[in-house]
Amino acid sequence: MTPARAGSIAFAGLLLFAVPVAAQPAISGCTSTLTAQATQTLQCESGITIVAESGARFELRDRNRDGHVDSVELSNRALLLEVPKKAGRARFNVITPQAIAAVRGTKWAVDAEGGKTSVFVVNGRVSVARAAGRGSVVLGPGEGVDVETSGNLVVKRWGAPRVAALMARLGQ
């Protein structure tokens, strides 16, 4: 991307598809900044911040149709999300083929790669459930879980190398 293409862009549409990170229509009230690290940062009026890894495929959703983002469907790569408690009464969800991560008032990352979704919590608490089937866990700061189509959901404290590698992909 050339420096001339980087910058803030206001969106007024209903959905955002990032394939790869690119400026496309989004839900009203969000602006996007493309960075030198090829990540995209969305800042929404409700205080929600979403950082998308280069090449991430996702759609912003407005489930209650009030014009503000309240969930993301992620199909590939990683997102780093920060959702303040004041962002609304309903939980904010990230939906992947393998998992649903629900939260309010926290900062966390979701990585959907191949047949696995990994969720890591920077601060706050995140509830993670299988998209299909049984099983759910609650993660706290420094904890993560790998969700595959089968097997138990096991909460683990992620080591510094794994956290650093994921955060680097997100320009952090």
Side-chain angles (χ1 to χ4, degrees):
M1 171 179 315
T2 64
R5 294 206 28 125
S8 293
I9 301 165
F11 293 109
L14 294 177
L15 298 175
L16 175 108
F17 298 90
V19 189
V21 172
Q24 298 181 24
I27 291 175
S28 176
C30 296
T31 58
S32 176
T33 304
L34 303 174
T35 69
Q37 297 100 340
T39 61
Q40 177 183 26
T41 300
L42 294 162
Q43 294 283 138
C44 300
E45 288 176 354
S46 58
I48 296 169
T49 301
I50 302 169
V51 178
E53 175 184 15
S54 177
R57 291 176 158 249
F58 63 97
E59 296 180 32
L60 299 180
R61 297 289 187 178
D62 177 13
R63 293 173 299 175
N64 64 5
R65 300 176 190 240
D66 68 354
H68 300 285
V69 63
D70 53 23
S71 69
V72 176
E73 289 187 25
L74 174 65
S75 60
N76 191 27
R77 304 271 177 141
L79 299 176
L80 177 65
L81 304 104
E82 190 163 4
V83 180
K85 288 182 181 179
K86 67 177 184 165
R89 293 184 189 140
R91 286 185 169 206
F92 187 93
N93 294 326
V94 177
I95 302 159
T96 73
Q98 296 81 24
I100 300 170
V103 67
R104 183 172 53 170
T106 193
K107 184 175 183 178
W108 82 105
V110 180
D111 184 15
E113 289 288 334
K116 177 173 78 172
T117 294
S118 300
V119 179
F120 174 74
V121 176
V122 176
N123 59 50
R125 299 188 73 73
V126 175
S127 171
V128 180
R130 286 191 192 285
R134 290 176 273 175
S136 67
V137 295
V138 176
L139 305 174
E143 295 178 333
V145 66
D146 295 315
V147 183
E148 298 183 78
T149 54
S150 63
N152 293 330
L153 298 180
V154 179
V155 175
K156 295 181 180 177
R157 180 151 303 279
W158 282 17
R162 185 172 183 188
V163 173
L166 178 58
M167 293 301 161
R169 290 171 43 204
L170 293 158
Q172 304 295 304

PDB file of all heavy atoms in Angstrom, residues 137-168:
ATOM      1  N   VAL A 137     -16.413 -22.043  27.928  1.00  0.00           N
ATOM      2  CA  VAL A 137     -15.471 -21.686  28.986  1.00  0.00           C
ATOM      3  C   VAL A 137     -15.483 -20.171  29.139  1.00  0.00           C
ATOM      4  O   VAL A 137     -15.941 -19.451  28.261  1.00  0.00           O
ATOM      5  CB  VAL A 137     -14.026 -22.167  28.674  1.00  0.00           C
ATOM      6  CG1 VAL A 137     -13.953 -23.683  28.650  1.00  0.00           C
ATOM      7  CG2 VAL A 137     -13.525 -21.582  27.370  1.00  0.00           C
ATOM      8  N   VAL A 138     -14.966 -19.700  30.268  1.00  0.00           N
ATOM      9  CA  VAL A 138     -14.785 -18.269  30.489  1.00  0.00           C
ATOM     10  C   VAL A 138     -13.296 -18.031  30.681  1.00  0.00           C
ATOM     11  O   VAL A 138     -12.650 -18.690  31.504  1.00  0.00           O
ATOM     12  CB  VAL A 138     -15.588 -17.771  31.712  1.00  0.00           C
ATOM     13  CG1 VAL A 138     -15.297 -16.297  31.974  1.00  0.00           C
ATOM     14  CG2 VAL A 138     -17.078 -17.997  31.498  1.00  0.00           C
ATOM     15  N   LEU A 139     -12.756 -17.095  29.895  1.00  0.00           N
ATOM     16  CA  LEU A 139     -11.330 -16.767  29.951  1.00  0.00           C
ATOM     17  C   LEU A 139     -11.110 -15.472  30.710  1.00  0.00           C
ATOM     18  O   LEU A 139     -11.891 -14.528  30.585  1.00  0.00           O
ATOM     19  CB  LEU A 139     -10.779 -16.590  28.533  1.00  0.00           C
ATOM     20  CG  LEU A 139     -10.971 -17.747  27.554  1.00  0.00           C
ATOM     21  CD1 LEU A 139     -10.484 -17.334  26.168  1.00  0.00           C
ATOM     22  CD2 LEU A 139     -10.253 -18.978  28.041  1.00  0.00           C
ATOM     23  N   GLY A 140      -9.999 -15.416  31.443  1.00  0.00           N
ATOM     24  CA  GLY A 140      -9.575 -14.201  32.118  1.00  0.00           C
ATOM     25  C   GLY A 140      -8.285 -13.690  31.498  1.00  0.00           C
ATOM     26  O   GLY A 140      -7.772 -14.270  30.532  1.00  0.00           O
ATOM     27  N   PRO A 141      -7.708 -12.615  32.036  1.00  0.00           N
ATOM     28  CA  PRO A 141      -6.490 -12.029  31.480  1.00  0.00           C
ATOM     29  C   PRO A 141      -5.354 -13.047  31.373  1.00  0.00           C
ATOM     30  O   PRO A 141      -5.099 -13.809  32.307  1.00  0.00           O
ATOM     31  CB  PRO A 141      -6.143 -10.929  32.487  1.00  0.00           C
ATOM     32  CG  PRO A 141      -7.437 -10.593  33.144  1.00  0.00           C
ATOM     33  CD  PRO A 141      -8.204 -11.882  33.198  1.00  0.00           C
ATOM     34  N   GLY A 142      -4.706 -13.081  30.199  1.00  0.00           N
ATOM     35  CA  GLY A 142      -3.579 -13.973  29.960  1.00  0.00           C
ATOM     36  C   GLY A 142      -3.969 -15.383  29.576  1.00  0.00           C
ATOM     37  O   GLY A 142      -3.103 -16.210  29.325  1.00  0.00           O
ATOM     38  N   GLU A 143      -5.270 -15.666  29.526  1.00  0.00           N
ATOM     39  CA  GLU A 143      -5.734 -17.012  29.199  1.00  0.00           C
ATOM     40  C   GLU A 143      -6.223 -17.092  27.764  1.00  0.00           C
ATOM     41  O   GLU A 143      -6.674 -16.106  27.185  1.00  0.00           O
ATOM     42  CB  GLU A 143      -6.859 -17.431  30.143  1.00  0.00           C
ATOM     43  CG  GLU A 143      -6.410 -17.564  31.579  1.00  0.00           C
ATOM     44  CD  GLU A 143      -7.539 -17.926  32.518  1.00  0.00           C
ATOM     45  OE1 GLU A 143      -8.708 -17.598  32.237  1.00  0.00           O
ATOM     46  OE2 GLU A 143      -7.232 -18.537  33.562  1.00  0.00           O
ATOM     47  N   GLY A 144      -6.150 -18.309  27.224  1.00  0.00           N
ATOM     48  CA  GLY A 144      -6.617 -18.549  25.876  1.00  0.00           C
ATOM     49  C   GLY A 144      -7.193 -19.934  25.746  1.00  0.00           C
ATOM     50  O   GLY A 144      -7.039 -20.776  26.641  1.00  0.00           O
ATOM     51  N   VAL A 145      -7.875 -20.166  24.627  1.00  0.00           N
ATOM     52  CA  VAL A 145      -8.442 -21.474  24.327  1.00  0.00           C
ATOM     53  C   VAL A 145      -8.389 -21.682  22.823  1.00  0.00           C
ATOM     54  O   VAL A 145      -8.530 -20.725  22.051  1.00  0.00           O
ATOM     55  CB  VAL A 145      -9.890 -21.622  24.871  1.00  0.00           C
ATOM     56  CG1 VAL A 145     -10.856 -20.683  24.152  1.00  0.00           C
ATOM     57  CG2 VAL A 145     -10.367 -23.057  24.792  1.00  0.00           C
ATOM     58  N   ASP A 146      -8.150 -22.925  22.424  1.00  0.00           N
ATOM     59  CA  ASP A 146      -8.191 -23.304  21.016  1.00  0.00           C
ATOM     60  C   ASP A 146      -9.461 -24.124  20.819  1.00  0.00           C
ATOM     61  O   ASP A 146      -9.666 -25.127  21.505  1.00  0.00           O
ATOM     62  CB  ASP A 146      -6.961 -24.129  20.635  1.00  0.00           C
ATOM     63  CG  ASP A 146      -5.685 -23.312  20.736  1.00  0.00           C
ATOM     64  OD1 ASP A 146      -5.687 -22.159  20.270  1.00  0.00           O
ATOM     65  OD2 ASP A 146      -4.697 -23.823  21.292  1.00  0.00           O
ATOM     66  N   VAL A 147     -10.315 -23.682  19.897  1.00  0.00           N
ATOM     67  CA  VAL A 147     -11.591 -24.343  19.649  1.00  0.00           C
ATOM     68  C   VAL A 147     -11.526 -25.037  18.298  1.00  0.00           C
ATOM     69  O   VAL A 147     -11.322 -24.386  17.272  1.00  0.00           O
ATOM     70  CB  VAL A 147     -12.765 -23.337  19.670  1.00  0.00           C
ATOM     71  CG1 VAL A 147     -14.091 -24.061  19.474  1.00  0.00           C
ATOM     72  CG2 VAL A 147     -12.767 -22.530  20.964  1.00  0.00           C
ATOM     73  N   GLU A 148     -11.666 -26.359  18.339  1.00  0.00           N
ATOM     74  CA  GLU A 148     -11.724 -27.151  17.113  1.00  0.00           C
ATOM     75  C   GLU A 148     -13.098 -27.805  17.057  1.00  0.00           C
ATOM     76  O   GLU A 148     -13.895 -27.679  17.991  1.00  0.00           O
ATOM     77  CB  GLU A 148     -10.595 -28.167  17.103  1.00  0.00           C
ATOM     78  CG  GLU A 148      -9.229 -27.458  17.123  1.00  0.00           C
ATOM     79  CD  GLU A 148      -8.066 -28.403  17.051  1.00  0.00           C
ATOM     80  OE1 GLU A 148      -7.782 -28.868  15.937  1.00  0.00           O
ATOM     81  OE2 GLU A 148      -7.457 -28.645  18.096  1.00  0.00           O
ATOM     82  N   THR A 149     -13.403 -28.485  15.972  1.00  0.00           N
ATOM     83  CA  THR A 149     -14.737 -29.060  15.818  1.00  0.00           C
ATOM     84  C   THR A 149     -15.036 -30.140  16.839  1.00  0.00           C
ATOM     85  O   THR A 149     -16.192 -30.417  17.127  1.00  0.00           O
ATOM     86  CB  THR A 149     -14.935 -29.613  14.396  1.00  0.00           C
ATOM     87  OG1 THR A 149     -13.876 -30.527  14.105  1.00  0.00           O
ATOM     88  CG2 THR A 149     -14.944 -28.490  13.373  1.00  0.00           C
ATOM     89  N   SER A 150     -14.016 -30.764  17.407  1.00  0.00           N
ATOM     90  CA  SER A 150     -14.237 -31.778  18.435  1.00  0.00           C
ATOM     91  C   SER A 150     -13.176 -31.630  19.518  1.00  0.00           C
ATOM     92  O   SER A 150     -12.241 -30.855  19.380  1.00  0.00           O
ATOM     93  CB  SER A 150     -14.191 -33.176  17.819  1.00  0.00           C
ATOM     94  OG  SER A 150     -12.906 -33.427  17.291  1.00  0.00           O
ATOM     95  N   GLY A 151     -13.342 -32.389  20.576  1.00  0.00           N
ATOM     96  CA  GLY A 151     -12.394 -32.312  21.690  1.00  0.00           C
ATOM     97  C   GLY A 151     -12.867 -31.353  22.751  1.00  0.00           C
ATOM     98  O   GLY A 151     -13.797 -30.577  22.557  1.00  0.00           O
ATOM     99  N   ASN A 152     -12.226 -31.405  23.912  1.00  0.00           N
ATOM    100  CA  ASN A 152     -12.574 -30.541  25.033  1.00  0.00           C
ATOM    101  C   ASN A 152     -12.041 -29.125  24.826  1.00  0.00           C
ATOM    102  O   ASN A 152     -11.012 -28.921  24.184  1.00  0.00           O
ATOM    103  CB  ASN A 152     -12.008 -31.103  26.332  1.00  0.00           C
ATOM    104  CG  ASN A 152     -12.659 -32.413  26.718  1.00  0.00           C
ATOM    105  OD1 ASN A 152     -13.819 -32.655  26.406  1.00  0.00           O
ATOM    106  ND2 ASN A 152     -11.903 -33.260  27.395  1.00  0.00           N
ATOM    107  N   LEU A 153     -12.738 -28.163  25.415  1.00  0.00           N
ATOM    108  CA  LEU A 153     -12.238 -26.791  25.470  1.00  0.00           C
ATOM    109  C   LEU A 153     -11.377 -26.685  26.718  1.00  0.00           C
ATOM    110  O   LEU A 153     -11.870 -26.844  27.830  1.00  0.00           O
ATOM    111  CB  LEU A 153     -13.393 -25.792  25.533  1.00  0.00           C
ATOM    112  CG  LEU A 153     -14.347 -25.777  24.351  1.00  0.00           C
ATOM    113  CD1 LEU A 153     -15.441 -24.743  24.565  1.00  0.00           C
ATOM    114  CD2 LEU A 153     -13.603 -25.510  23.062  1.00  0.00           C
ATOM    115  N   VAL A 154     -10.082 -26.440  26.520  1.00  0.00           N
ATOM    116  CA  VAL A 154      -9.141 -26.396  27.632  1.00  0.00           C
ATOM    117  C   VAL A 154      -8.567 -24.987  27.737  1.00  0.00           C
ATOM    118  O   VAL A 154      -7.908 -24.505  26.815  1.00  0.00           O
ATOM    119  CB  VAL A 154      -8.001 -27.427  27.432  1.00  0.00           C
ATOM    120  CG1 VAL A 154      -7.015 -27.352  28.581  1.00  0.00           C
ATOM    121  CG2 VAL A 154      -8.576 -28.836  27.289  1.00  0.00           C
ATOM    122  N   VAL A 155      -8.826 -24.337  28.874  1.00  0.00           N
ATOM    123  CA  VAL A 155      -8.296 -22.999  29.132  1.00  0.00           C
ATOM    124  C   VAL A 155      -6.837 -23.138  29.532  1.00  0.00           C
ATOM    125  O   VAL A 155      -6.500 -23.939  30.404  1.00  0.00           O
ATOM    126  CB  VAL A 155      -9.094 -22.304  30.255  1.00  0.00           C
ATOM    127  CG1 VAL A 155      -8.471 -20.952  30.601  1.00  0.00           C
ATOM    128  CG2 VAL A 155     -10.551 -22.147  29.851  1.00  0.00           C
ATOM    129  N   LYS A 156      -5.975 -22.350  28.873  1.00  0.00           N
ATOM    130  CA  LYS A 156      -4.545 -22.375  29.178  1.00  0.00           C
ATOM    131  C   LYS A 156      -4.025 -20.951  29.326  1.00  0.00           C
ATOM    132  O   LYS A 156      -4.500 -20.036  28.664  1.00  0.00           O
ATOM    133  CB  LYS A 156      -3.768 -23.054  28.051  1.00  0.00           C
ATOM    134  CG  LYS A 156      -4.093 -24.513  27.879  1.00  0.00           C
ATOM    135  CD  LYS A 156      -3.271 -25.117  26.760  1.00  0.00           C
ATOM    136  CE  LYS A 156      -3.610 -26.591  26.590  1.00  0.00           C
ATOM    137  NZ  LYS A 156      -2.884 -27.189  25.480  1.00  0.00           N
ATOM    138  N   ARG A 157      -3.020 -20.806  30.172  1.00  0.00           N
ATOM    139  CA  ARG A 157      -2.290 -19.532  30.238  1.00  0.00           C
ATOM    140  C   ARG A 157      -1.314 -19.555  29.073  1.00  0.00           C
ATOM    141  O   ARG A 157      -0.503 -20.463  28.962  1.00  0.00           O
ATOM    142  CB  ARG A 157      -1.540 -19.392  31.563  1.00  0.00           C
ATOM    143  CG  ARG A 157      -0.778 -18.081  31.644  1.00  0.00           C
ATOM    144  CD  ARG A 157      -0.630 -17.581  33.048  1.00  0.00           C
ATOM    145  NE  ARG A 157      -1.845 -17.376  33.791  1.00  0.00           N
ATOM    146  CZ  ARG A 157      -2.631 -16.288  33.676  1.00  0.00           C
ATOM    147  NH1 ARG A 157      -2.321 -15.342  32.843  1.00  0.00           N
ATOM    148  NH2 ARG A 157      -3.713 -16.171  34.414  1.00  0.00           N
ATOM    149  N   TRP A 158      -1.456 -18.582  28.169  1.00  0.00           N
ATOM    150  CA  TRP A 158      -0.594 -18.555  26.989  1.00  0.00           C
ATOM    151  C   TRP A 158       0.781 -18.028  27.354  1.00  0.00           C
ATOM    152  O   TRP A 158       0.914 -17.042  28.089  1.00  0.00           O
ATOM    153  CB  TRP A 158      -1.202 -17.685  25.905  1.00  0.00           C
ATOM    154  CG  TRP A 158      -2.320 -18.347  25.153  1.00  0.00           C
ATOM    155  CD1 TRP A 158      -3.044 -19.443  25.519  1.00  0.00           C
ATOM    156  CD2 TRP A 158      -2.834 -17.936  23.896  1.00  0.00           C
ATOM    157  NE1 TRP A 158      -3.984 -19.738  24.557  1.00  0.00           N
ATOM    158  CE2 TRP A 158      -3.870 -18.832  23.554  1.00  0.00           C
ATOM    159  CE3 TRP A 158      -2.524 -16.905  23.029  1.00  0.00           C
ATOM    160  CZ2 TRP A 158      -4.608 -18.720  22.373  1.00  0.00           C
ATOM    161  CZ3 TRP A 158      -3.256 -16.783  21.854  1.00  0.00           C
ATOM    162  CH2 TRP A 158      -4.272 -17.691  21.530  1.00  0.00           C
ATOM    163  N   GLY A 159       1.808 -18.652  26.803  1.00  0.00           N
ATOM    164  CA  GLY A 159       3.177 -18.210  27.022  1.00  0.00           C
ATOM    165  C   GLY A 159       3.481 -16.934  26.249  1.00  0.00           C
ATOM    166  O   GLY A 159       2.823 -16.614  25.249  1.00  0.00           O
ATOM    167  N   ALA A 160       4.492 -16.221  26.716  1.00  0.00           N
ATOM    168  CA  ALA A 160       4.875 -14.953  26.089  1.00  0.00           C
ATOM    169  C   ALA A 160       5.179 -15.080  24.595  1.00  0.00           C
ATOM    170  O   ALA A 160       4.768 -14.211  23.820  1.00  0.00           O
ATOM    171  CB  ALA A 160       6.066 -14.342  26.831  1.00  0.00           C
ATOM    172  N   PRO A 161       5.851 -16.141  24.129  1.00  0.00           N
ATOM    173  CA  PRO A 161       6.129 -16.236  22.685  1.00  0.00           C
ATOM    174  C   PRO A 161       4.852 -16.331  21.838  1.00  0.00           C
ATOM    175  O   PRO A 161       4.764 -15.694  20.781  1.00  0.00           O
ATOM    176  CB  PRO A 161       6.960 -17.516  22.562  1.00  0.00           C
ATOM    177  CG  PRO A 161       7.602 -17.688  23.898  1.00  0.00           C
ATOM    178  CD  PRO A 161       6.572 -17.184  24.878  1.00  0.00           C
ATOM    179  N   ARG A 162       3.859 -17.091  22.298  1.00  0.00           N
ATOM    180  CA  ARG A 162       2.613 -17.210  21.524  1.00  0.00           C
ATOM    181  C   ARG A 162       1.854 -15.889  21.513  1.00  0.00           C
ATOM    182  O   ARG A 162       1.334 -15.473  20.482  1.00  0.00           O
ATOM    183  CB  ARG A 162       1.734 -18.324  22.103  1.00  0.00           C
ATOM    184  CG  ARG A 162       0.493 -18.559  21.257  1.00  0.00           C
ATOM    185  CD  ARG A 162      -0.297 -19.768  21.670  1.00  0.00           C
ATOM    186  NE  ARG A 162      -1.419 -19.963  20.757  1.00  0.00           N
ATOM    187  CZ  ARG A 162      -2.375 -20.835  20.944  1.00  0.00           C
ATOM    188  NH1 ARG A 162      -2.352 -21.635  22.001  1.00  0.00           N
ATOM    189  NH2 ARG A 162      -3.366 -20.935  20.081  1.00  0.00           N
ATOM    190  N   VAL A 163       1.775 -15.226  22.657  1.00  0.00           N
ATOM    191  CA  VAL A 163       1.095 -13.930  22.734  1.00  0.00           C
ATOM    192  C   VAL A 163       1.802 -12.915  21.842  1.00  0.00           C
ATOM    193  O   VAL A 163       1.166 -12.193  21.068  1.00  0.00           O
ATOM    194  CB  VAL A 163       1.027 -13.418  24.188  1.00  0.00           C
ATOM    195  CG1 VAL A 163       0.470 -12.002  24.241  1.00  0.00           C
ATOM    196  CG2 VAL A 163       0.195 -14.373  25.045  1.00  0.00           C
ATOM    197  N   ALA A 164       3.137 -12.857  21.922  1.00  0.00           N
ATOM    198  CA  ALA A 164       3.906 -11.897  21.130  1.00  0.00           C
ATOM    199  C   ALA A 164       3.715 -12.136  19.632  1.00  0.00           C
ATOM    200  O   ALA A 164       3.583 -11.177  18.858  1.00  0.00           O
ATOM    201  CB  ALA A 164       5.391 -11.964  21.491  1.00  0.00           C
ATOM    202  N   ALA A 165       3.689 -13.395  19.206  1.00  0.00           N
ATOM    203  CA  ALA A 165       3.515 -13.701  17.788  1.00  0.00           C
ATOM    204  C   ALA A 165       2.149 -13.248  17.295  1.00  0.00           C
ATOM    205  O   ALA A 165       2.038 -12.657  16.211  1.00  0.00           O
ATOM    206  CB  ALA A 165       3.695 -15.206  17.555  1.00  0.00           C
ATOM    207  N   LEU A 166       1.103 -13.495  18.071  1.00  0.00           N
ATOM    208  CA  LEU A 166      -0.249 -13.067  17.669  1.00  0.00           C
ATOM    209  C   LEU A 166      -0.338 -11.537  17.648  1.00  0.00           C
ATOM    210  O   LEU A 166      -0.832 -10.956  16.691  1.00  0.00           O
ATOM    211  CB  LEU A 166      -1.298 -13.648  18.613  1.00  0.00           C
ATOM    212  CG  LEU A 166      -2.746 -13.233  18.343  1.00  0.00           C
ATOM    213  CD1 LEU A 166      -3.190 -13.605  16.928  1.00  0.00           C
ATOM    214  CD2 LEU A 166      -3.665 -13.853  19.380  1.00  0.00           C
ATOM    215  N   MET A 167       0.159 -10.893  18.667  1.00  0.00           N
ATOM    216  CA  MET A 167       0.097  -9.426  18.731  1.00  0.00           C
ATOM    217  C   MET A 167       0.911  -8.771  17.611  1.00  0.00           C
ATOM    218  O   MET A 167       0.513  -7.735  17.085  1.00  0.00           O
ATOM    219  CB  MET A 167       0.530  -8.922  20.108  1.00  0.00           C
ATOM    220  CG  MET A 167      -0.412  -9.298  21.220  1.00  0.00           C
ATOM    221  SD  MET A 167      -2.072  -8.659  20.909  1.00  0.00           S
ATOM    222  CE  MET A 167      -3.009  -9.698  22.012  1.00  0.00           C
ATOM    223  N   ALA A 168       2.027  -9.378  17.250  1.00  0.00           N
ATOM    224  CA  ALA A 168       2.834  -8.834  16.141  1.00  0.00           C
ATOM    225  C   ALA A 168       2.049  -8.875  14.839  1.00  0.00           C
ATOM    226  O   ALA A 168       2.131  -7.939  14.031  1.00  0.00           O
ATOM    227  CB  ALA A 168       4.148  -9.612  16.005  1.00  0.00           C
TER     228      ALA A 168
END
